Amino acid sequence: MGPTEDPNGFVVSRLVDSVKEVSGLPECRTISKKIYSNLVRRIKLLSPLFEELKDSDEELGEDVLRAFEPLRVALDSAKVLLRSINEGSKLHQALERDKIADEFHQMTEKIEEALSMIPYEILDLSEEVREQIELVHAQFKRAKGRMDSPDIQLEMDLAIVQKEKDPDLAILKRLAEKLQLRTINDLKKESLALHEMVISSSGDPGDCLEKMSSLLKKLKDCVMTGNPEADTSEGEKGLIKHRSPVIPDDFRCPISLELMKDPVIVSTGQTYERSCIQKWLDAGHKTCPKTQQTLLHTALTPNYVLKSLIALWCESNGVELPKKQGTCRNKKSGSSVSDCDRAAIVALLQKLADGNQEEQRAAAGELRLLAKRNADNRVCIAEAGAVPLLVELLSSTDPRTQEHAVTALLNLSINETNKGSIVNAGAIPDIVDVLKNGSMEARENAAATLFSLSVLDENKVAIGAAGAIPALIDLLCQGTPRGKKDAATAIFNLSIYQGNKVRAVRAGIVAPLMRLLKDAGGGMVDEALAILAILASHQEGKTAIGEAEPIPVLIEVMRTGSPRNRENAAAVLWSLCTGDTHHLKIARELGAEEALKELSENGTDRAKRKAGNILELLQRADVVVDHEI
């Protein structure tokens, strides 16, 4: 949770959003449809509970929020499971149906258990919502103790189709209908889903891939039998009788129209022969040849499933197999980074080290994308020795290369071990230099990188000492909305260290923070108040804030702000008023007492404490005045 978020609103909003996301999921078109639909329906029924809590003025205590946490975690897990079913391979679900049914059963148990932990009796709920939640809870309890009966027909059909070389066409048609793999388009989507599953698999898919590829081929033959011209171009239709076999369009490269030997997927999802699309990209094109869409990146992902299908088709049609390449899966480490991906990373590092400016720019861009993609890539890229090379490119005179390098380091820094490697490579001064002099995108990502690195306390000192704070303040003043947010988050995190509070104050941070605080429409009030609250705990910060005449706007926030902002405003006011009768007097004259009393009754726990402390200071000041009279 970020420094500026209201915990009550955060937890309830997350629950509301989770139910909305589940409600917005498309209808399931796989054999898992029944268990999928049941879980979606039950989760939807939880919506009134969260909506009512969201609209309620009652503040949930910390114990209640903790009781909701297991449900939040369970719903997040449910979203992942439901998406994997909707977007995943239909064949995989058929072959692993018992395992998937068990996953849904465990998910039902998890949600039911989480619902049992919520103290409904102390929540301010309407009778209607209370009754509905009891009903939903009862449904989850019943579902927890019930398992669906197996589909005997499906099991028999799958067994026959897997076992027999030329299974009965009627069985194949029945299976295609059951699995919703009835058209060429369905089979294309299934091919892509299988490919994604293989890529994300943490081990060698082995037999599983062979079974699925073989099943897909038999189903495709069945579909083609029902619609023999579906996969053939106009020019070939007249030649079918004279050419045997006809190469399916799926297996041809859209550029060369030849049978693909090394099919790869580009960012639009289209598949091409590697050598053909590489020539297209090398010629400077930035679009997908088939769809004309702009390519989001130039990474080429091997299409293992299509390659396997092409090999099976060649074998069954007596066509010479495309030249085989060695397996790309790394069986030793258990990592999901393939051997060919590792080889690609090493090749990219070679370009970083020895390439010309264009090659370095392209290689840094590829590494940036690979590091963003997943955790295994981040480990592999760092272990291959990328960090020192990327740090060196932070000083590049080419703005785009610099952007790629700093963003690649940002993505790598998500891994805790990599944080240390980046700092040890001497990156901090160079990142600060990018923050001062780079393009706006590079400056924003440099700020985000410094925030990521500053999670480790020892780095807070080094980043402050390298001169980052004045540069972050510049970005806070001049940046895009996103740049301002990145700068504010980094400054907040760095200012946890006392020495950086002094640096921030002396670099003149208070004036821009006050401007942001007074600009309610600027979207930075939360961040400005959170930083002021942390700076006010230091004497120099307190003095600088006091000189900026902050009390009128602090009182206004305490009256009308969000719960977390009211809390932070009270914390700043308390720091200013402690041991300072001048500020106490101004607060009283501006009518702070009324806002403080209301806050002491209805604020967050911390806000209540701070408001109570200031009211005590005001009362003591009254006693002193009376005594002097």
Side-chain angles (χ1 to χ4, degrees):
M1 195 187 304
T4 62
E5 289 168 341
D6 165 38
N8 186 20
F10 174 81
V11 173
V12 176
S13 293
R14 281 289 295 273
L15 289 164
V16 169
D17 290 344
S18 289
V19 174
K20 278 182 183 167
E21 282 181 55
V22 169
S23 302
L25 289 172
E27 185 182 343
C28 182
R29 290 181 68 243
T30 75
I31 61 160
S32 310
K33 180 175 181 176
K34 186 179 176 185
I35 49 177
Y36 175 103
S37 303
N38 284 340
L39 183 57
V40 168
R41 178 176 49 77
R42 292 180 192 122
I43 289 173
K44 279 183 184 177
L45 292 171
L46 294 172
S47 180
L49 167 64
F50 307 140
E51 291 290 355
E52 192 157 295
L53 289 173
K54 189 180 179 185
D55 294 339
S56 171
D57 291 328
E58 182 193 23
E59 175 130 355
L60 303 177
E62 286 184 10
D63 289 345
V64 176
L65 291 172
R66 270 198 296 274
F68 271 104
E69 186 61 11
L71 182 58
R72 186 185 70 74
V73 172
L75 291 182
D76 282 350
S77 300
K79 281 188 296 185
V80 173
L81 176 60
L82 290 165
R83 278 203 199 96
S84 73
I85 294 301
N86 225 325
E87 299 164 7
S89 157
K90 294 173 180 177
L91 286 171
H92 183 254
Q93 287 175 48
L95 293 172
E96 299 287 337
R97 54 202 176 281
D98 291 341
K99 183 182 170 188
I100 287 166
D102 190 49
E103 283 177 5
F104 272 87
H105 195 251
Q106 285 176 29
M107 185 55 62
T108 300
E109 285 184 340
K110 198 173 175 183
I111 295 173
E112 191 280 324
E113 191 179 326
L115 287 169
S116 302
M117 297 169 72
I118 298 167
Y120 302 102
E121 64 282 357
I122 64 171
L123 297 176
D124 182 24
L125 298 174
S126 64
E127 193 171 327
E128 186 180 341
V129 167
R130 201 177 289 273
E131 284 175 2
Q132 177 161 336
I133 295 307
E134 284 173 6
L135 184 68
V136 181
H137 195 176
Q139 287 183 6
F140 272 103
K141 271 185 185 170
R142 278 200 305 275
K144 192 175 77 166
R146 189 172 60 217
M147 293 292 274
D148 287 330
S149 53
D151 187 333
I152 304 298
Q153 184 70 63
L154 175 66
E155 290 188 5
M156 287 170 60
D157 287 350
L158 276 170
I160 291 166
V161 170
Q162 285 180 86
K163 188 177 177 183
E164 294 180 9
K165 190 175 180 183
D166 294 304
D168 189 287
L169 195 59
I171 295 174
L172 278 169
K173 283 184 176 175
R174 190 164 59 215
L175 195 56
E177 195 69 33
K178 174 74 80 172
L179 299 181
Q180 299 277 309
L181 293 170
R182 295 172 292 196
T183 67
I184 292 296
N185 205 34
D186 290 339
L187 293 165
K188 283 181 181 177
K189 286 179 184 173
E190 177 63 12
S191 176
L192 279 172
L194 282 178
H195 167 259
E196 287 300 323
M197 194 197 80
V198 173
I199 293 298
S200 61
S201 168
S202 58
D204 185 352
D207 292 344
C208 185
L209 174 62
E210 288 301 317
K211 281 181 188 174
M212 290 186 292
S213 296
S214 177
L215 271 170
L216 190 58
K217 183 194 178 302
K218 289 171 183 175
L219 288 168
K220 185 167 184 179
D221 288 346
C222 168
V223 171
M224 290 295 292
T225 302
N227 186 12
E229 297 186 359
D231 244 20
T232 334
S233 69
E234 289 294 328
E236 287 170 336
K237 286 180 181 176
L239 302 175
I240 288 175
K241 293 175 184 175
H242 307 288
R243 271 177 53 189
S244 182
V246 175
I247 301 170
D249 277 355
D250 279 358
F251 296 172
R252 293 176 180 276
C253 171
I255 297 172
S256 69
L257 301 180
E258 297 293 330
L259 182 67
M260 286 186 277
K261 299 175 175 57
D262 189 4
V264 293
I265 298 176
V266 297
S267 68
T268 58
Q270 297 295 326
T271 296
Y272 298 94
E273 173 63 33
R274 184 186 291 276
S275 60
C276 296
I277 191 65
Q278 193 62 59
K279 280 179 190 170
W280 171 266
L281 296 172
D282 290 345
H285 296 292
K286 308 236 182 317
T287 55
C288 171
K290 194 169 181 181
T291 67
Q292 298 305 308
Q293 289 174 273
T294 301
L295 294 170
L296 299 175
H297 57 75
T298 56
L300 303 176
T301 309
N303 192 335
Y304 296 117
V305 172
L306 187 59
K307 189 172 181 180
S308 175
L309 289 172
I310 289 170
L312 285 166
W313 180 86
C314 289
E315 199 175 329
S316 59
N317 286 279
V319 175
E320 190 179 345
L321 282 167
K323 192 177 176 184
K324 291 220 172 204
Q325 294 182 353
T327 177
C328 286
R329 306 304 295 173
N330 179 5
K331 299 181 184 181
K332 288 174 274 185
S333 66
S335 161
S336 67
V337 180
S338 66
D339 286 339
C340 55
D341 284 345
R342 288 173 196 279
I345 288 166
V346 170
L348 289 172
L349 297 196
Q350 196 66 45
K351 287 180 183 175
L352 283 192
D354 304 324
N356 60 34
Q357 192 174 75
E358 282 195 12
E359 287 173 332
Q360 286 183 328
R361 184 195 305 131
E366 294 284 352
L367 287 168
R368 166 185 181 170
L369 292 163
L370 285 169
K372 185 180 181 180
R373 194 171 296 162
N374 60 52
D376 290 308
N377 282 354
R378 290 190 273 278
V379 173
C380 185
I381 290 167
E383 285 179 352
V387 170
L389 295 169
L390 289 167
V391 170
E392 203 171 313
L393 286 184
L394 292 174
S395 309
S396 171
T397 54
D398 178 55
R400 196 72 182 137
T401 303
Q402 196 179 59
E403 278 172 25
H404 288 329
V406 77
T407 312
L409 288 169
L410 168 61
N411 295 336
L412 289 173
S413 74
I414 295 167
N415 176 285
E416 290 301 307
T417 306
N418 289 350
K419 284 180 171 61
S421 305
I422 292 166
V423 173
N424 292 339
I428 289 174
D430 291 315
I431 295 170
V432 172
D433 195 53
V434 174
L435 180 65
K436 289 176 179 173
N437 304 309
S439 67
M440 186 51 74
E441 184 185 341
R443 290 173 69 193
E444 288 171 356
N445 289 338
T449 309
L450 292 174
F451 164 69
S452 177
L453 296 175
S454 70
V455 169
L456 302 178
D457 285 342
E458 62 269 27
N459 292 344
K460 290 180 175 70
V461 183
I463 292 167
I469 289 173
L472 287 167
I473 295 171
D474 283 345
L475 186 60
L476 185 68
C477 296
Q478 305 162 7
T480 63
R482 185 196 141 199
K484 288 179 178 180
K485 295 263 184 194
D486 286 332
T489 315
I491 291 166
F492 178 91
N493 218 35
L494 290 169
S495 296
I496 292 168
Y497 168 61
Q498 285 286 91
N500 286 337
K501 290 177 188 171
V502 178
R503 289 191 175 103
V505 171
R506 291 179 184 173
I509 193 172
V510 171
L513 288 177
M514 290 305 299
R515 283 198 298 274
L516 294 171
L517 182 56
K518 290 171 183 174
D519 179 16
M524 291 291 293
V525 172
D526 297 7
E527 288 82 358
L529 262 174
I531 297 169
L532 285 168
I534 206 167
L535 295 177
S537 64
H538 189 281
Q539 186 56 46
E540 280 197 43
K542 174 178 167 177
T543 303
I545 295 166
E547 289 170 355
E549 300 182 355
I551 294 178
V553 71
L554 292 175
I555 293 172
E556 181 61 26
V557 172
M558 286 194 298
R559 285 198 184 109
T560 62
S562 68
R564 176 50 60 91
N565 285 348
R566 296 172 77 200
E567 174 187 307
N568 279 331
V572 176
L573 187 60
W574 177 76
S575 292
L576 293 174
C577 291
T578 304
D580 192 313
T581 53
H582 172 66
H583 284 129
L584 273 172
K585 184 182 172 191
I586 293 171
R588 177 183 279 108
E589 287 171 356
L590 291 170
E593 211 160 344
E594 185 188 338
L596 289 164
K597 281 177 180 170
E598 198 276 329
L599 193 56
S600 67
E601 292 168 6
N602 300 312
T604 64
D605 290 344
R606 180 168 172 252
K608 286 176 182 175
R609 284 197 308 274
K610 294 295 181 188
N613 291 339
I614 301 167
L615 287 168
E616 275 181 37
L617 291 173
L618 286 167
Q619 285 163 8
R620 275 191 225 143
D622 286 340
V623 170
V624 170
V625 170
D626 290 344
H627 183 69
E628 285 174 353
I629 290 168

